[in-house]
Amino acid sequence: MFQKRVKPKKQHEITRMAEICALSHRQTPVDFIVDFGAGVGHLARILGYGYGLQVCCFEMQPDLNQKATEIDLKLESMAAKHLSQAETSHFQRPVHLTQRLESSTQPAQFLSSIRNALQLEDDKFSFGIIGLHPCGNLGPTLMRMFLGCPQAKFLNFVGCCYQKMTTQDTHSREQVHGYPLSKFLSEQVGNYLSYEAREISCHAMEVYHDRLLAKDYEHLRIHSFRAAAERIIVQQFPDLRHCALRNVKHSPDMTFHQYFQKAVQGTRFEALDSRVLSNKQTETDLDNWQRIVSFYTLRLMMAPLVESIILYDRCLFLMENDCHVHIEAIFDPRLSPRNHITSAVKP
């Protein structure tokens, strides 16, 4: 029931994450769990119906919350047909709350939202905070909520999209940043991490390593397509460099024109004149695919180092606030490149 219409990557992640969160609940009992960036509730569903834990889901997109509720009801209907009443007696339907959490959100606002969602009369409750791939600044926001709420007893989250974090250098006028977080690193000279460094840290080298060993070079040529596309985008829209494009799976005999059309589908780049795609510079970029693969390989070698800096900064931030912290790789990096969980408990 939990795996229906869930892709293998997500199945792997939510199953493993649920095991760890349930263990945290046993070791540090709380009244309920708050899931940040819950999406359509796949993780919350395993915790609620599988482990019998009350979960309050924070998700900013109302359509995802509506979809999550529909899936909950379908699961309950399916369970009623195939399971006995005794087997479903522990079920806890997740509570889905539509709310956006910003870096400026205060703990009092957060706690008020929880009270209203769960219809609690006072602040005499305890909870754990979890997040499966909270994007950009949402990870640091999650940590600040954990530290700012006395009721929060444990924390489990796996970070994602480090390149979307604000930094001390890029947003110097803002009071809070995604990086650096720790007092230790904030006081160090030269703690700058570029967009490119943070972006490459989101990638795992294992799959690329496998393809290089297998001499699956044709599959790797798609990097030259992306590089050529970036050059064209920057030439036409200089202020839109590093814009996200659609992921395009490689297929034999795919042309650059076919790749570009799929990659920019639904974006403003879709209106680009096809003649812009055909020029000598693009042909040179595509012919130099081996150089691009070599360069990407060198960049990828640095990815674990950059991610370690980000993870240790988060670890130090929590330790500076008297938390016990543990970082562990819990997912298969070939399935889920962002695979390190940061766990913390208060003394």
Side-chain angles (χ1 to χ4, degrees), residues 260-282:
F260 193 88
Q261 289 170 357
K262 291 181 179 179
V264 303
Q265 188 177 1
T267 71
R268 61 186 295 182
F269 310 130
E270 200 170 15
L272 277 174
D273 191 322
S274 61
R275 289 175 293 182
V276 174
L277 307 183
S278 302
N279 55 63
K280 286 189 175 182
Q281 182 62 64
T282 299

PDB file of all heavy atoms in Angstrom, residues 260-282:
ATOM      1  N   PHE A 260      17.501  20.073 -26.541  1.00  0.00           N
ATOM      2  CA  PHE A 260      17.170  21.442 -26.127  1.00  0.00           C
ATOM      3  C   PHE A 260      15.665  21.627 -26.016  1.00  0.00           C
ATOM      4  O   PHE A 260      15.171  22.228 -25.049  1.00  0.00           O
ATOM      5  CB  PHE A 260      17.765  22.444 -27.120  1.00  0.00           C
ATOM      6  CG  PHE A 260      17.752  23.857 -26.621  1.00  0.00           C
ATOM      7  CD1 PHE A 260      18.822  24.343 -25.864  1.00  0.00           C
ATOM      8  CD2 PHE A 260      16.690  24.709 -26.891  1.00  0.00           C
ATOM      9  CE1 PHE A 260      18.815  25.648 -25.393  1.00  0.00           C
ATOM     10  CE2 PHE A 260      16.676  26.011 -26.431  1.00  0.00           C
ATOM     11  CZ  PHE A 260      17.740  26.488 -25.672  1.00  0.00           C
ATOM     12  N   GLN A 261      14.917  21.109 -26.970  1.00  0.00           N
ATOM     13  CA  GLN A 261      13.452  21.239 -26.944  1.00  0.00           C
ATOM     14  C   GLN A 261      12.852  20.584 -25.700  1.00  0.00           C
ATOM     15  O   GLN A 261      11.936  21.127 -25.071  1.00  0.00           O
ATOM     16  CB  GLN A 261      12.843  20.626 -28.207  1.00  0.00           C
ATOM     17  CG  GLN A 261      13.117  21.446 -29.475  1.00  0.00           C
ATOM     18  CD  GLN A 261      12.719  20.722 -30.748  1.00  0.00           C
ATOM     19  OE1 GLN A 261      12.282  19.571 -30.709  1.00  0.00           O
ATOM     20  NE2 GLN A 261      12.878  21.388 -31.883  1.00  0.00           N
ATOM     21  N   LYS A 262      13.394  19.426 -25.317  1.00  0.00           N
ATOM     22  CA  LYS A 262      12.887  18.744 -24.120  1.00  0.00           C
ATOM     23  C   LYS A 262      13.330  19.465 -22.844  1.00  0.00           C
ATOM     24  O   LYS A 262      12.565  19.573 -21.885  1.00  0.00           O
ATOM     25  CB  LYS A 262      13.384  17.299 -24.094  1.00  0.00           C
ATOM     26  CG  LYS A 262      12.783  16.411 -25.167  1.00  0.00           C
ATOM     27  CD  LYS A 262      13.312  14.990 -25.073  1.00  0.00           C
ATOM     28  CE  LYS A 262      12.699  14.090 -26.142  1.00  0.00           C
ATOM     29  NZ  LYS A 262      13.228  12.705 -26.065  1.00  0.00           N
ATOM     30  N   ALA A 263      14.565  19.952 -22.840  1.00  0.00           N
ATOM     31  CA  ALA A 263      15.121  20.584 -21.641  1.00  0.00           C
ATOM     32  C   ALA A 263      14.436  21.902 -21.300  1.00  0.00           C
ATOM     33  O   ALA A 263      14.294  22.249 -20.122  1.00  0.00           O
ATOM     34  CB  ALA A 263      16.627  20.801 -21.815  1.00  0.00           C
ATOM     35  N   VAL A 264      14.013  22.655 -22.314  1.00  0.00           N
ATOM     36  CA  VAL A 264      13.427  23.978 -22.076  1.00  0.00           C
ATOM     37  C   VAL A 264      11.903  23.966 -22.124  1.00  0.00           C
ATOM     38  O   VAL A 264      11.268  25.021 -22.032  1.00  0.00           O
ATOM     39  CB  VAL A 264      13.959  25.022 -23.080  1.00  0.00           C
ATOM     40  CG1 VAL A 264      15.474  25.102 -23.014  1.00  0.00           C
ATOM     41  CG2 VAL A 264      13.503  24.686 -24.513  1.00  0.00           C
ATOM     42  N   GLN A 265      11.310  22.795 -22.239  1.00  0.00           N
ATOM     43  CA  GLN A 265       9.851  22.705 -22.323  1.00  0.00           C
ATOM     44  C   GLN A 265       9.201  23.355 -21.098  1.00  0.00           C
ATOM     45  O   GLN A 265       9.545  23.063 -19.966  1.00  0.00           O
ATOM     46  CB  GLN A 265       9.427  21.236 -22.418  1.00  0.00           C
ATOM     47  CG  GLN A 265       7.938  21.045 -22.698  1.00  0.00           C
ATOM     48  CD  GLN A 265       7.588  19.572 -22.856  1.00  0.00           C
ATOM     49  OE1 GLN A 265       8.438  18.707 -22.745  1.00  0.00           O
ATOM     50  NE2 GLN A 265       6.337  19.295 -23.122  1.00  0.00           N
ATOM     51  N   GLY A 266       8.278  24.257 -21.348  1.00  0.00           N
ATOM     52  CA  GLY A 266       7.588  24.927 -20.249  1.00  0.00           C
ATOM     53  C   GLY A 266       8.334  26.107 -19.665  1.00  0.00           C
ATOM     54  O   GLY A 266       7.878  26.703 -18.685  1.00  0.00           O
ATOM     55  N   THR A 267       9.475  26.487 -20.232  1.00  0.00           N
ATOM     56  CA  THR A 267      10.239  27.636 -19.756  1.00  0.00           C
ATOM     57  C   THR A 267      10.199  28.747 -20.799  1.00  0.00           C
ATOM     58  O   THR A 267       9.770  28.537 -21.938  1.00  0.00           O
ATOM     59  CB  THR A 267      11.708  27.267 -19.481  1.00  0.00           C
ATOM     60  OG1 THR A 267      12.391  27.045 -20.728  1.00  0.00           O
ATOM     61  CG2 THR A 267      11.797  25.992 -18.635  1.00  0.00           C
ATOM     62  N   ARG A 268      10.702  29.937 -20.429  1.00  0.00           N
ATOM     63  CA  ARG A 268      10.700  31.064 -21.364  1.00  0.00           C
ATOM     64  C   ARG A 268      11.676  30.849 -22.513  1.00  0.00           C
ATOM     65  O   ARG A 268      11.585  31.505 -23.551  1.00  0.00           O
ATOM     66  CB  ARG A 268      11.034  32.358 -20.624  1.00  0.00           C
ATOM     67  CG  ARG A 268      12.393  32.365 -19.956  1.00  0.00           C
ATOM     68  CD  ARG A 268      12.601  33.612 -19.113  1.00  0.00           C
ATOM     69  NE  ARG A 268      12.632  34.819 -19.922  1.00  0.00           N
ATOM     70  CZ  ARG A 268      12.834  36.037 -19.416  1.00  0.00           C
ATOM     71  NH1 ARG A 268      12.999  36.185 -18.116  1.00  0.00           N
ATOM     72  NH2 ARG A 268      12.867  37.091 -20.212  1.00  0.00           N
ATOM     73  N   PHE A 269      12.625  29.894 -22.326  1.00  0.00           N
ATOM     74  CA  PHE A 269      13.594  29.612 -23.388  1.00  0.00           C
ATOM     75  C   PHE A 269      12.966  28.861 -24.548  1.00  0.00           C
ATOM     76  O   PHE A 269      13.568  28.722 -25.610  1.00  0.00           O
ATOM     77  CB  PHE A 269      14.768  28.797 -22.833  1.00  0.00           C
ATOM     78  CG  PHE A 269      15.365  29.371 -21.583  1.00  0.00           C
ATOM     79  CD1 PHE A 269      15.566  28.579 -20.467  1.00  0.00           C
ATOM     80  CD2 PHE A 269      15.725  30.710 -21.519  1.00  0.00           C
ATOM     81  CE1 PHE A 269      16.119  29.105 -19.322  1.00  0.00           C
ATOM     82  CE2 PHE A 269      16.279  31.249 -20.377  1.00  0.00           C
ATOM     83  CZ  PHE A 269      16.471  30.453 -19.264  1.00  0.00           C
ATOM     84  N   GLU A 270      11.750  28.366 -24.342  1.00  0.00           N
ATOM     85  CA  GLU A 270      11.073  27.580 -25.370  1.00  0.00           C
ATOM     86  C   GLU A 270      10.834  28.415 -26.631  1.00  0.00           C
ATOM     87  O   GLU A 270      10.731  27.875 -27.732  1.00  0.00           O
ATOM     88  CB  GLU A 270       9.743  27.068 -24.809  1.00  0.00           C
ATOM     89  CG  GLU A 270       9.149  25.885 -25.544  1.00  0.00           C
ATOM     90  CD  GLU A 270       7.970  25.295 -24.789  1.00  0.00           C
ATOM     91  OE1 GLU A 270       7.451  25.959 -23.868  1.00  0.00           O
ATOM     92  OE2 GLU A 270       7.564  24.166 -25.120  1.00  0.00           O
ATOM     93  N   ALA A 271      10.753  29.732 -26.462  1.00  0.00           N
ATOM     94  CA  ALA A 271      10.442  30.610 -27.589  1.00  0.00           C
ATOM     95  C   ALA A 271      11.675  30.985 -28.408  1.00  0.00           C
ATOM     96  O   ALA A 271      11.571  31.704 -29.394  1.00  0.00           O
ATOM     97  CB  ALA A 271       9.773  31.883 -27.071  1.00  0.00           C
ATOM     98  N   LEU A 272      12.847  30.480 -28.025  1.00  0.00           N
ATOM     99  CA  LEU A 272      14.071  30.806 -28.763  1.00  0.00           C
ATOM    100  C   LEU A 272      13.983  30.309 -30.207  1.00  0.00           C
ATOM    101  O   LEU A 272      13.517  29.194 -30.466  1.00  0.00           O
ATOM    102  CB  LEU A 272      15.284  30.179 -28.072  1.00  0.00           C
ATOM    103  CG  LEU A 272      15.887  30.945 -26.890  1.00  0.00           C
ATOM    104  CD1 LEU A 272      16.990  30.121 -26.236  1.00  0.00           C
ATOM    105  CD2 LEU A 272      16.450  32.282 -27.357  1.00  0.00           C
ATOM    106  N   ASP A 273      14.445  31.133 -31.129  1.00  0.00           N
ATOM    107  CA  ASP A 273      14.468  30.764 -32.541  1.00  0.00           C
ATOM    108  C   ASP A 273      15.421  29.580 -32.725  1.00  0.00           C
ATOM    109  O   ASP A 273      16.556  29.583 -32.229  1.00  0.00           O
ATOM    110  CB  ASP A 273      14.963  31.953 -33.363  1.00  0.00           C
ATOM    111  CG  ASP A 273      14.763  31.738 -34.866  1.00  0.00           C
ATOM    112  OD1 ASP A 273      14.939  30.596 -35.336  1.00  0.00           O
ATOM    113  OD2 ASP A 273      14.440  32.716 -35.557  1.00  0.00           O
ATOM    114  N   SER A 274      14.967  28.560 -33.415  1.00  0.00           N
ATOM    115  CA  SER A 274      15.776  27.358 -33.607  1.00  0.00           C
ATOM    116  C   SER A 274      17.092  27.653 -34.325  1.00  0.00           C
ATOM    117  O   SER A 274      18.062  26.909 -34.198  1.00  0.00           O
ATOM    118  CB  SER A 274      14.977  26.303 -34.383  1.00  0.00           C
ATOM    119  OG  SER A 274      14.621  26.799 -35.657  1.00  0.00           O
ATOM    120  N   ARG A 275      17.136  28.771 -35.068  1.00  0.00           N
ATOM    121  CA  ARG A 275      18.363  29.121 -35.772  1.00  0.00           C
ATOM    122  C   ARG A 275      19.492  29.478 -34.801  1.00  0.00           C
ATOM    123  O   ARG A 275      20.673  29.380 -35.133  1.00  0.00           O
ATOM    124  CB  ARG A 275      18.097  30.280 -36.738  1.00  0.00           C
ATOM    125  CG  ARG A 275      17.253  29.903 -37.951  1.00  0.00           C
ATOM    126  CD  ARG A 275      16.922  31.103 -38.800  1.00  0.00           C
ATOM    127  NE  ARG A 275      16.022  32.028 -38.097  1.00  0.00           N
ATOM    128  CZ  ARG A 275      15.546  33.149 -38.624  1.00  0.00           C
ATOM    129  NH1 ARG A 275      15.883  33.488 -39.858  1.00  0.00           N
ATOM    130  NH2 ARG A 275      14.752  33.930 -37.923  1.00  0.00           N
ATOM    131  N   VAL A 276      19.096  29.908 -33.587  1.00  0.00           N
ATOM    132  CA  VAL A 276      20.092  30.250 -32.569  1.00  0.00           C
ATOM    133  C   VAL A 276      20.878  29.008 -32.140  1.00  0.00           C
ATOM    134  O   VAL A 276      22.025  29.090 -31.708  1.00  0.00           O
ATOM    135  CB  VAL A 276      19.399  30.897 -31.344  1.00  0.00           C
ATOM    136  CG1 VAL A 276      20.387  31.140 -30.212  1.00  0.00           C
ATOM    137  CG2 VAL A 276      18.718  32.190 -31.737  1.00  0.00           C
ATOM    138  N   LEU A 277      20.258  27.841 -32.296  1.00  0.00           N
ATOM    139  CA  LEU A 277      20.882  26.595 -31.851  1.00  0.00           C
ATOM    140  C   LEU A 277      21.944  26.095 -32.822  1.00  0.00           C
ATOM    141  O   LEU A 277      22.752  25.231 -32.465  1.00  0.00           O
ATOM    142  CB  LEU A 277      19.813  25.507 -31.666  1.00  0.00           C
ATOM    143  CG  LEU A 277      18.608  25.858 -30.782  1.00  0.00           C
ATOM    144  CD1 LEU A 277      17.696  24.637 -30.651  1.00  0.00           C
ATOM    145  CD2 LEU A 277      19.050  26.338 -29.413  1.00  0.00           C
ATOM    146  N   SER A 278      21.923  26.618 -34.032  1.00  0.00           N
ATOM    147  CA  SER A 278      22.858  26.120 -35.052  1.00  0.00           C
ATOM    148  C   SER A 278      23.902  27.185 -35.374  1.00  0.00           C
ATOM    149  O   SER A 278      23.619  28.151 -36.077  1.00  0.00           O
ATOM    150  CB  SER A 278      22.087  25.742 -36.319  1.00  0.00           C
ATOM    151  OG  SER A 278      21.114  24.768 -36.047  1.00  0.00           O
ATOM    152  N   ASN A 279      25.086  27.025 -34.818  1.00  0.00           N
ATOM    153  CA  ASN A 279      26.185  27.933 -35.131  1.00  0.00           C
ATOM    154  C   ASN A 279      27.503  27.203 -34.880  1.00  0.00           C
ATOM    155  O   ASN A 279      27.524  26.105 -34.296  1.00  0.00           O
ATOM    156  CB  ASN A 279      26.098  29.228 -34.309  1.00  0.00           C
ATOM    157  CG  ASN A 279      26.028  28.951 -32.819  1.00  0.00           C
ATOM    158  OD1 ASN A 279      26.962  28.389 -32.247  1.00  0.00           O
ATOM    159  ND2 ASN A 279      24.931  29.347 -32.183  1.00  0.00           N
ATOM    160  N   LYS A 280      28.583  27.807 -35.285  1.00  0.00           N
ATOM    161  CA  LYS A 280      29.892  27.154 -35.160  1.00  0.00           C
ATOM    162  C   LYS A 280      30.291  26.922 -33.716  1.00  0.00           C
ATOM    163  O   LYS A 280      30.922  25.910 -33.392  1.00  0.00           O
ATOM    164  CB  LYS A 280      30.953  27.992 -35.876  1.00  0.00           C
ATOM    165  CG  LYS A 280      30.878  27.900 -37.396  1.00  0.00           C
ATOM    166  CD  LYS A 280      32.086  28.562 -38.044  1.00  0.00           C
ATOM    167  CE  LYS A 280      32.052  28.363 -39.561  1.00  0.00           C
ATOM    168  NZ  LYS A 280      33.244  28.961 -40.231  1.00  0.00           N
ATOM    169  N   GLN A 281      29.935  27.879 -32.821  1.00  0.00           N
ATOM    170  CA  GLN A 281      30.296  27.721 -31.420  1.00  0.00           C
ATOM    171  C   GLN A 281      29.628  26.484 -30.825  1.00  0.00           C
ATOM    172  O   GLN A 281      30.252  25.710 -30.092  1.00  0.00           O
ATOM    173  CB  GLN A 281      29.888  28.961 -30.616  1.00  0.00           C
ATOM    174  CG  GLN A 281      30.263  28.901 -29.128  1.00  0.00           C
ATOM    175  CD  GLN A 281      31.755  28.803 -28.921  1.00  0.00           C
ATOM    176  OE1 GLN A 281      32.506  29.699 -29.262  1.00  0.00           O
ATOM    177  NE2 GLN A 281      32.206  27.677 -28.359  1.00  0.00           N
ATOM    178  N   THR A 282      28.345  26.281 -31.136  1.00  0.00           N
ATOM    179  CA  THR A 282      27.624  25.103 -30.628  1.00  0.00           C
ATOM    180  C   THR A 282      28.238  23.820 -31.175  1.00  0.00           C
ATOM    181  O   THR A 282      28.413  22.831 -30.443  1.00  0.00           O
ATOM    182  CB  THR A 282      26.133  25.177 -31.017  1.00  0.00           C
ATOM    183  OG1 THR A 282      25.555  26.347 -30.435  1.00  0.00           O
ATOM    184  CG2 THR A 282      25.381  23.946 -30.515  1.00  0.00           C
TER     185      THR A 282
END
